[in-house]
């Protein structure tokens, strides 16, 4: 609970900061509400997709014959045995399982949904006029996602506390918005791809380092390195935003929008 209490004010401060960046040309209130709503809904969407992916993997592994038996007689002893097998499929955690979980069921799903949410919020003509608009929009989507995730799906105390002082969904949003805004100027598909792939890569590596601890305590050094890098990245991105705002680096108008 202490970590959540710390996390919420930090997210609110960052949210207010993003709105202040747009004070001279603010987003319509309806657009801001859509950013918050879609970001929050992404949290629940990610949970649903993760469960569906887990069930799909289980179904593939038990095979069509057992699946038919499970569906035809769900109350039978055979069905009970199949259900027990499904529950035991995960077995002993391995580095491969940690990698798949970190990237497939976390980074790709979560960043993919946030990317779609950002695109949805910026679809209306005139919503995004500068690259900074894309950064602010993606950051707000990320903050809404993080608030719900921290409040509803918090893990152990230390992890949640670290997440509270390193709002990485906000950081990933800034990176996503930066490259998406760049793509609107350059017209390069590679820049648009970076808007999705770079957050996925960093997010996946961070989650992978955390989940490796469930495999073996010997990975503590890897985890600590990633924690330090995430803290450094958070500080770096906040400093960059301040610089972009002060110098007007990302305020050039997007003529094609």
């Amino acid at each position: 609970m202490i970590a959540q209490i710390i996390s919420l004010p930090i997210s609110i401060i960052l949210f207010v900061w993003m709105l202040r960046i747009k004070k001279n040309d603010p987003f319509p209130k309806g657009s801001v509400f859509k950013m918050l709503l879609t970001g929050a809904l992404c949290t629940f969407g990610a949970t649903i997709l993760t469960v569906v992916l887990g069930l799909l993997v289980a179904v593939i592994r038990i095979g069509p014959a057992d699946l038919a038996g499970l569906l035809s007689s769900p109350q039978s002893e055979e069905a009970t045995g199949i259900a027990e097998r499904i529950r035991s499929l995960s077995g002993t955690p391995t580095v491969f399982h940690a990698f798949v979980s970190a990237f497939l069921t976390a980074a790709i799903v979560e960043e993919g949904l946030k990317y779609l949410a950002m695109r949805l919020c910026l679809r209306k003509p005139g919503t995004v006029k500068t690259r900074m608009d894309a950064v602010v929009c993606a950051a707000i989507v990320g903050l809404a996602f993080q608030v719900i995730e921290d409040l509803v799906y918090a893990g152990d105390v230390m992890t949640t506390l670290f997440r509270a002082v390193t709002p990485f969904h906000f950081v990933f949003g800034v990176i996503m918005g930066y490259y998406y805004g760049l793509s609107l100027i350059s017209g390069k598909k590679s820049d648009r791809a970076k808007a999705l792939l770079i957050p996925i890569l960093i997010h996946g590596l961070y989650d992978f380092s955390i989940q490796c601890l469930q495999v073996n305590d010997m990975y503590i050094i890897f985890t600590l390195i990633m924690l330090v890098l995430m803290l450094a990245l958070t500080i770096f991105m906040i400093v960059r935003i301040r610089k972009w705002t002060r110098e007007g680096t990302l305020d050039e108008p997007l003529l094609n929008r």
Side-chain angles (χ1 to χ4, degrees):
M1 180 60 72
I2 295 177
Q4 286 88 331
I5 292 174
I6 295 174
S7 174
L8 188 57
I10 290 176
S11 297
I12 292 174
I13 290 171
L14 291 172
F15 172 66
V16 172
W17 183 32
M18 292 297 99
L19 294 184
R20 286 183 58 83
I21 288 175
K22 287 284 297 173
K23 66 180 180 180
N24 294 329
D25 184 20
F27 285 128
K29 292 182 180 179
S31 295
V32 175
F33 176 75
K34 183 188 293 186
M35 295 170 196
L36 293 172
L37 179 62
T38 56
L41 290 177
C42 282
T43 313
F44 299 107
T47 301
I48 293 171
L49 284 176
T50 299
V51 172
V52 170
L53 284 172
L55 290 175
L56 180 61
V57 170
V59 167
I60 292 173
R61 293 182 68 177
I62 67 174
D66 283 346
L67 176 61
L70 182 62
L71 295 177
S72 61
S73 304
Q75 303 300 325
S76 65
E77 291 185 7
E78 179 185 2
T80 302
I82 295 172
E84 289 295 332
R85 285 174 51 200
I86 293 176
R87 283 191 287 268
S88 65
L89 281 175
S90 57
T92 303
T94 65
V95 173
F96 175 74
H97 290 150
F99 181 86
V100 171
S101 177
F103 281 89
L104 182 60
T105 64
I108 293 177
V109 171
E110 293 180 9
E111 299 307 321
L113 286 174
K114 287 188 292 179
Y115 179 80
L116 292 176
M118 176 193 68
R119 294 288 301 271
L120 177 65
C121 292
L122 296 178
R123 281 184 61 186
K124 186 177 180 180
T127 301
V128 54
K129 302 172 184 176
T130 67
R131 289 169 62 189
M132 183 58 79
D133 289 347
V135 170
V136 172
C137 173
I140 291 175
V141 169
L143 283 171
F145 186 100
Q146 177 134 357
V147 167
I148 301 300
E149 189 175 64
D150 286 347
L151 293 178
V152 180
Y153 303 108
D156 61 88
V157 174
M158 291 305 298
T159 300
T160 306
L161 187 59
F162 182 80
R163 286 165 55 91
V165 297
T166 55
F168 57 81
H169 282 296
F170 165 79
V171 173
F172 298 153
V174 172
I175 295 172
M176 185 179 292
Y178 174 84
Y179 282 105
Y180 182 73
L182 181 61
S183 74
L184 297 179
I185 291 179
S186 68
K188 294 180 180 179
K189 292 183 179 179
S190 59
D191 288 330
R192 189 161 296 187
K194 289 176 184 177
L196 180 60
L197 296 180
I198 292 178
I200 286 176
L201 177 62
I202 302 174
H203 188 163
L205 286 174
Y206 170 74
D207 278 19
F208 178 55
S209 71
I210 298 296
Q211 295 195 34
C212 277
L213 282 180
Q214 300 176 11
V215 178
N216 196 308
D217 290 341
M218 65 177 288
Y219 291 103
I220 184 63
I221 301 298
F222 173 46
T223 304
L224 290 175
I225 290 174
M226 284 304 303
L227 293 178
V228 171
L229 289 177
M230 286 303 302
L231 180 59
L233 180 61
T234 301
I235 296 172
F236 173 77
M237 293 311 304
I238 290 175
V239 171
R240 293 298 293 180
I241 294 172
R242 288 176 56 85
K243 183 178 180 180
W244 293 335
T245 304
R246 184 174 62 252
E247 299 178 356
T249 309
L250 306 185
D251 289 340
E252 67 272 25
L254 304 176
L255 299 179
N256 60 325
R257 300 288 290 190

